[in-house]
Amino acid sequence: YIVAIELLCAAQALEFLRPLQPGRGVNEAYDVVRQHVSALDGDRVLSGDIEALRLVVRSGVFARIACDSRDQERTRVAAITAA
């Protein structure tokens, strides 16, 4: 539940940083969050949102995003180092 709540808060924080764009991995995670939970535009009960994100976290989607981002960064650094 803690990770789900953190993701919910992080996605909402990105709403306030527009028009700035996050990095690829953060943007991909944000998109996944928003596929399951809409942005807050007023008060509402968040238990359903938290539960939805908990299930997504348990599915491993965010772990795959993190691994993909890490692998892309390693490839980028290796290309720069080799040049």
Side-chain angles (χ1 to χ4, degrees), residues 5-66:
I5 293 167
E6 290 288 342
L7 286 164
L8 186 63
C9 292
Q12 191 63 29
L14 288 174
E15 301 291 337
F16 297 115
L17 294 175
R18 290 179 189 237
L20 299 176
Q21 292 295 312
R24 284 184 299 240
V26 172
N27 196 50
E28 192 174 342
Y30 171 84
D31 289 343
V32 171
V33 170
R34 288 298 175 234
Q35 287 172 9
H36 299 277
V37 175
S38 62
L40 287 170
D41 56 3
D43 289 340
R44 70 173 188 248
V45 176
L46 298 177
S47 58
D49 296 345
I50 294 167
E51 183 62 24
L53 287 178
R54 183 188 73 83
L55 295 173
V56 177
V57 169
R58 298 270 324 223
S59 77
V61 170
F62 295 106
R64 284 190 291 280
I65 291 170

Side-chain angles (χ1 to χ4, degrees), residues 60-75:
V61 170
F62 295 106
R64 284 190 291 280
I65 291 170
C67 288
D68 289 348
S69 293
R70 183 195 64 217
D71 292 344
Q72 288 174 3
E73 182 62 15
R74 284 184 180 164
T75 301

